[in-house]
Amino acid sequence: MMSKARITAIGSYVPDNVVTNFDLEKMVDTNDEWIIRRTGIKERRFASENEFTSDLSIKAIENLMERYDKGIHDVDMIVVCTLSPEYQTPSTASYIQGRLGLKQAGAIDINAACAGFTYGLHLANGLITAGLHKKILVIGAETLSKITDFTDRTTCILFGDGAGAMLVEYDQNGSFLSSHVVSEGEKAHNLYGTYLSDKMFGHELEHKRQLVQNGREVYKWAVTSVPSGMKAVVDKAEFSLQDVDWFIPHSANLRMIESICEKSSYPIEKTLTSLEYHGNTSAASIPLAVDLGIKEGKIKEGDYLLLYGFGGGLSRSGQLIKWG
Ligand code: COA
């Protein structure tokens, strides 16, 4: 089915508080050189004590409205992609809908972790192309610092907070050339945050609220499964990776992204990330990277972008998009 959904605006926001690798050295036994060598991350932002995922999301929406001549009064669906909502219920999307007074908008949260934003775009494209909605706000927002275990040096060096928002509208000339979603739930115990249950597929889980990760397993999974996923997305559109102007993967770890590019024979120079100064911001990382690419003058109207999210679930999802 031809896409009838076009991305017409983008906005982003990161909290003011900068946390460098040197700051982390004071919290756990780590060092700037190790973090940069293993991950490519130099610093990240942490939300303040009273700043939550809905606050970051609203700032990203305000940024979108300031930069584009777009009203949101007629938005008819809000999709928030997050694994760090401030409430288990209501959904962050409902809370934002209420705070912004968007009376005609439905609201739904998607928890597909670091694949969240691309899952959100998949849903928005489907809902609009099917004729069910006309104007959808898709937001990727996280306050991961609130669910990070700062005694675990293998995970706490990775994560940061931030938010990105895109407006997706009905248009005969849709942006989406192809889209796919994958879930590999049988591998879920490699990256989880637990509230109620301490067992998963026979694995005993650490019963705590923070994120727990088997970094090596997630790394191995990503570098093997993402290249095949990228190919599946471009194949579906009858494109090739050579036609892609910018590859925008989830900003998990630069070493991992280098390995994914090498396996896909895709030039790392044509890859955009947000991780150097924002760390791994899960569902926010892809819109943050797209927005950085726009601000740096790299992404131009008509460029073909390959977005690919991957992470907890384990889940992954990607789209080939014509920008502008
Ligand atoms: N600072 C300094 N040393 C550290 C450290 C830190 N923050 N974390 C671990 N180390 C040490 C370990 O103790 C170990 O030391 P040893 O060899 O003396 O035992 C060594 O570094 C290697 O540890 P290991 O856990 O095997 O590291 P790694 O090479 O797997 O790198 C990650 C760890 C987390 C960077 C890596 O596994 C990774 O990036 N995984 C993917 C994570 C990710 O992106 N997740 C999100 C996906 S959405």
Side-chain angles (χ1 to χ4, degrees):
M1 199 191 282
M2 289 288 285
S3 167
K4 295 197 174 87
R6 202 157 74 82
I7 300 169
T8 57
I10 182 169
S12 61
Y13 174 76
V14 288
D16 294 335
N17 182 22
V18 177
V19 178
T20 65
N21 293 343
F22 299 104
D23 294 323
L24 290 179
E25 285 181 9
K26 294 174 201 139
M27 298 161 79
V28 283
D29 180 14
T30 190
N31 60 78
D32 178 59
E33 187 270 330
W34 191 96
I35 300 173
I36 292 178
R37 185 161 41 84
R38 299 283 177 129
T39 72
I41 300 167
K42 291 183 178 157
E43 56 186 51
R44 69 288 290 143
R45 304 293 182 99
F46 283 179
S48 65
E49 203 183 331
N50 297 316
E51 201 175 23
F52 294 92
T53 297
S54 69
D55 301 307
L56 272 53
S57 302
I58 288 173
K59 292 260 176 59
I61 296 168
E62 286 168 355
N63 178 256
L64 176 153
M65 289 193 295
E66 278 163 22
R67 289 163 52 193
Y68 295 80
D69 189 19
K70 292 280 174 193
I72 57 162
H73 60 280
D74 52 349
V75 160
D76 55 13
M77 178 63 88
I78 302 170
V79 178
V80 175
C81 316
T82 187
L83 65 87
S84 48
E86 58 239 71
Y87 308 110
Q88 199 168 25
T89 191
S91 69
T92 310
S94 280
Y95 194 51
I96 292 170
Q97 177 269 323
R99 286 181 62 182
L100 296 179
L102 299 175
K103 293 205 186 305
Q104 68 296 342
I108 186 172
D109 278 12
I110 292 183
N111 180 348
C114 308
F117 194 78
T118 42
Y119 258 80
L121 287 180
H122 180 82
L123 190 74
N125 178 40
L127 289 173
I128 291 176
T129 300
L132 295 173
H133 289 269
K134 284 209 150 34
K135 198 168 181 180
I136 301 182
L137 267 173
V138 182
I139 301 150
E142 304 283 6
T143 47
L144 297 177
S145 63
K146 295 186 194 294
I147 54 165
T148 296
D149 178 357
F150 286 100
T151 65
D152 177 2
R153 66 174 180 168
T154 66
T155 61
C156 74
I157 50 130
L158 298 171
F159 299 120
D161 301 340
M166 288 187 191
L167 193 62
V168 188
E169 296 186 70
Y170 175 82
D171 194 310
Q172 283 296 338
N173 300 312
S175 304
F176 296 83
L177 287 100
S178 62
S179 181
H180 93 165
V181 291
V182 178
S183 175
E184 298 177 58
E186 66 283 0
K187 298 174 187 149
H189 55 282
N190 291 308
L191 178 47
Y192 62 86
T194 176
Y195 291 89
L196 300 175
S197 172
D198 54 7
K199 287 195 181 55
M200 192 188 279
F201 295 121
H203 297 271
E204 296 285 334
L205 306 182
E206 288 183 52
H207 193 73
K208 53 186 185 179
R209 197 167 170 268
Q210 291 107 336
L211 292 172
V212 181
Q213 171 175 253
N214 183 337
R216 283 213 164 164
E217 286 305 314
V218 175
Y219 194 104
K220 276 194 277 181
W221 167 76
V223 298
T224 51
S225 65
V226 174
S228 65
M230 293 160 65
K231 188 170 177 327
V233 175
V234 291
D235 281 356
K236 213 170 173 179
E238 298 179 0
F239 268 54
S240 82
L241 277 176
Q242 279 77 42
D243 302 320
V244 172
D245 295 298
W246 298 105
F247 170 45
I248 303 156
H250 163 51
S251 286
N253 175 327
L254 190 58
R255 299 291 94 82
M256 204 146 91
I257 292 168
E258 284 168 350
S259 173
I260 289 167
C261 285
E262 200 180 307
K263 287 199 170 159
S264 304
S265 303
Y266 187 85
I268 188 81
E269 305 75 44
K270 285 169 55 177
T271 300
L272 301 176
T273 74
S274 55
L275 64 83
E276 193 175 0
Y277 295 103
H278 300 320
N280 176 346
T281 53
S282 194
S285 88
I286 289 179
L288 284 175
V290 172
D291 212 9
L292 281 172
I294 291 167
K295 287 174 182 163
E296 289 169 3
K298 290 178 174 168
I299 296 178
K300 306 241 167 41
E301 281 212 6
D303 278 357
Y304 290 105
L305 313 185
L306 175 60
L307 314 184
Y308 209 90
F310 54 89
L314 298 179
S315 53
R316 52 194 175 87
S317 166
Q319 285 86 35
L320 183 66
I321 282 168
K322 187 174 183 186
W323 190 256

